[in-house]
Amino acid sequence: MRKPVRFLTALAVAVFAVATVQAAEVPLVGNVLNRQTTSLNGKWHYIIDVQEEGYYDYRMNPTRWGFFQNAKPKRPEDLIEYDFDKAATMNIPGDWNTQDERLFFYEGTVWFKTSFQFKKTDGQRTLLYFGAANYDTHVYLNGQHVMHHVGGFTPFNADVTEQLKEGENVVIVKVDNKRHANNVPTQIFDWWNYGGITRDVMLVNVPATYIENYKLALSKEIAKKGVRTIDFALNLNAKEAGKQVTLSIPELKVKKLLTTDAEGRISTTFDVKQKQLQLWSPDSPKLYDVELVLDGNILRDNIGFRTIETRGKQLLLNGQPIFLRGVSIHEEKPNGGGRANGTEDARTLLSWAKDLGCNYVRLAHYPHNEYMIREAERTGILVWSEIPVYWTIAWKNEQTFANAKRQLTDMILRDQNRANIIIWSIANETPHSAERDQFLGNLAKYARTLDNTRLISMAMEVTGASNYVNRLQDNMHEYVDVVSFNQYIGWYRDVNDAPKMKWEIPYDKPVIISEFGGGAKAGLHGEKNQRWTEEFQENLYIQNLAMLDKIEGLAGTTPWVLKDFRSPRRVLDGIQDYYNRKGLYSDKGEKKKAFYVLKKWYEGK
């Protein structure tokens, strides 16, 4: 999605047309972690640009002399008021808030620059890939504009083959994390607005014709006794008919020679013997080695097979009822603040969830990094994955919908082969209106066109409360497979009300309590009615879990939240200190008393 450029002069239009004539943003490439890549991670120079003088002139017209030129004085009298090579450096990937104390609360533009050596290879294309940057990102290579991406948590890439040169190349990136009413998420959200290039940057080397993406999944249907059907779809980066692709799953004795159609696509099914097939589950997270070969180029993956469906109020994994013992997680480093990235962070956070007894996590409130998804899959943890349609979105704005749709698309395309993802979530705590129903209903229907092998849900709000009866009423029940809602009895309402509460959920669908909980500062002790103490949080969990046990059709819970996380909305000195304290772990990894209450309850599930 492209953001309109403000107040373009005729000269600026001409300049930008020349600068972008070779720009080649291309559809997202799948399974990037198993392709031939060159990492551009490391120390990048950066310049803080509060008034965006590196992009606009003093009349807010795009300037031809922007920082993307990486200009250097040619004469002693030349005036150039920036120099990336003299600027400080920070780690990429990483957020700027925790790497420069001047930027802790900063929302605005920062420019980044790195250099790398490159040698061209005949017959090869090169993509420049960003795992994510928050939020509005312009990318320049050797002075040429190659990409503009809007969204803070999804990947994007461009074909930069023509812009690369032998020897030294320079990448300059403008990242702007200012909040706007028409963004997704919008201006107000309850987590830290970490700015920067927050995930991996890499060059991806591919053939001239390459496998752009593919999907391999177990069909829900059982064609005949003793046999299971696997659906396979693939698309190339070009509309080329007659290209032969070999699909191999050696352990299942599968080897198929397939041919693309006029659109450069393959869509087929094949059967495997049921007794041969070991299904992926939390207890047995089986992954199969998969190979795809095109023109002698091999693309490998590790893929699991499973089914997820509903039957009345039951949730069925591989045809068997399952209770989701979950917890919500923000993408923040396990010991202290900062945007989490990489396998090490994922392993720590997921090990904490495992210690709690979880077989499931809600990755809120945006798509988390790919390492998190893959580590959860490897260790047997089911996943709810979500886009940041959060609170009050600009429901009537077409560009806002396009942004949300793009983020939904990229989330699904990146992770569609991960067996552990069972729910795509399209929203969290959105106020009811006809415009909202249309916006979210269209997202739900669109998600099903991309992927019909998973369930659709969203975190609803409870409305229609009357005394001690809470009735869930939401028009979106028609579009979701699982009814999920957030409730905070004991935090925003007296905890003593919990034993009196009755819940009416008039839909014949499984129920997940997507949030409940309350805050406590680790190490603060007192009476159970003293807010912010561990005893208060402990009692809140005791009362809530007893209440939730009475809900008909309860299929799982994801309490809020695994660990304390930073939020600018949490300003109470000495207690919150800009942290949401609802974690079962502190921001330093200390277990609170409520941890043990939930762990014991999960042991009984």
Side-chain angles (χ1 to χ4, degrees), residues 148-318:
H148 178 206
H149 183 262
V150 178
F153 305 97
T154 50
F156 51 101
N157 50 227
D159 186 331
V160 295
T161 307
E162 306 306 323
Q163 290 86 1
L164 287 165
K165 59 186 181 182
E166 293 281 344
E168 184 176 78
N169 291 259
V170 176
V171 175
I172 293 177
V173 183
K174 176 186 182 290
V175 184
D176 182 355
N177 74 329
K178 288 192 297 291
R179 294 166 292 119
H180 298 283
N182 294 334
N183 284 357
V184 181
T186 187
Q187 287 175 305
I188 300 174
F189 45 87
D190 189 14
W191 67 86
W192 206 263
N193 187 23
Y194 288 115
I197 303 171
T198 55
R199 297 181 188 162
D200 291 340
V201 185
M202 62 185 79
L203 299 175
V204 185
N205 301 311
V206 292
T209 300
Y210 60 89
I211 297 169
E212 184 178 279
N213 216 328
Y214 56 92
K215 183 180 179 184
L216 193 62
L218 190 64
S219 172
K220 294 180 181 179
E221 305 299 325
I222 300 179
K224 53 187 175 181
K225 188 175 181 180
V227 170
R228 294 306 301 258
T229 300
I230 293 177
D231 299 325
F232 177 67
L234 175 147
N235 63 283
L236 304 179
N237 65 309
K239 295 181 179 181
E240 292 192 31
K243 299 293 289 186
Q244 291 191 325
V245 176
T246 301
L247 164 66
S248 300
I249 314 174
E251 196 172 346
L252 294 177
K253 297 181 173 56
V254 169
K255 189 168 186 178
K256 304 287 182 182
L257 183 61
L258 307 167
T259 305
T260 60
D261 62 17
E263 297 296 311
R265 297 179 179 275
I266 295 170
S267 181
T268 189
T269 64
F270 56 91
D271 294 337
V272 295
K273 292 180 180 178
Q274 190 165 353
K275 64 181 181 181
Q276 279 185 294
L277 189 63
Q278 182 180 342
L279 299 183
W280 187 99
S281 72
D283 294 330
S284 179
K286 172 64 177 177
L287 299 175
Y288 288 91
D289 292 337
V290 174
E291 284 189 356
L292 297 168
V293 182
L294 170 65
D295 295 334
N297 297 290
I298 302 174
L299 181 59
R300 294 182 173 87
D301 207 343
N302 303 103
I303 294 178
F305 299 100
R306 58 98 192 97
T307 61
I308 186 72
E309 57 192 324
T310 65
R311 183 173 60 205
K313 290 182 178 292
Q314 285 187 316
L315 192 65
L316 305 180
L317 178 69
N318 300 327

Side-chain angles (χ1 to χ4, degrees), residues 497-505 543-554 601 605:
D497 288 347
K500 308 170 190 175
M501 296 304 301
K502 292 184 180 179
W503 296 88
E504 293 183 358
I505 305 169
Q543 299 301 328
N544 268 262
L545 295 175
M547 176 185 68
L548 298 184
D549 267 332
K550 300 174 185 177
I551 294 180
E552 182 186 3
L554 185 66
W601 191 69
K605 296 294 182 181

Side-chain angles (χ1 to χ4, degrees), residues 408-421:
L408 180 63
T409 301
D410 291 343
M411 175 178 72
I412 292 175
L413 291 183
R414 191 194 72 179
D415 294 331
Q416 61 188 350
N417 288 307
R418 305 283 65 86
N420 59 328
I421 297 180

Side-chain angles (χ1 to χ4, degrees), residues 540-585:
L540 184 152
Y541 267 79
I542 291 170
Q543 299 301 328
N544 268 262
L545 295 175
M547 176 185 68
L548 298 184
D549 267 332
K550 300 174 185 177
I551 294 180
E552 182 186 3
L554 185 66
T557 66
T558 49
W560 195 257
V561 60
L562 179 69
K563 67 170 287 289
D564 294 349
F565 61 93
R566 281 196 168 120
S567 171
R569 296 175 63 84
R570 310 300 172 170
V571 299
L572 181 59
D573 287 339
I575 298 293
Q576 292 173 313
D577 300 319
Y578 297 106
Y579 274 95
N580 185 311
R581 296 295 186 189
K582 293 186 178 72
L584 294 165
Y585 287 84

Side-chain angles (χ1 to χ4, degrees), residues 6 47-61 67 106-111 174 176 178:
R6 293 173 279 185
I47 297 173
I48 304 166
D49 190 7
V50 177
Q51 295 194 14
E52 297 188 285
E53 63 176 324
Y55 192 74
Y56 299 110
D57 65 19
Y58 72 104
R59 299 190 187 278
M60 291 305 290
N61 295 313
F67 290 178
Y106 181 68
E107 293 183 326
T109 286
V110 175
W111 294 81
K174 176 186 182 290
D176 182 355
K178 288 192 297 291

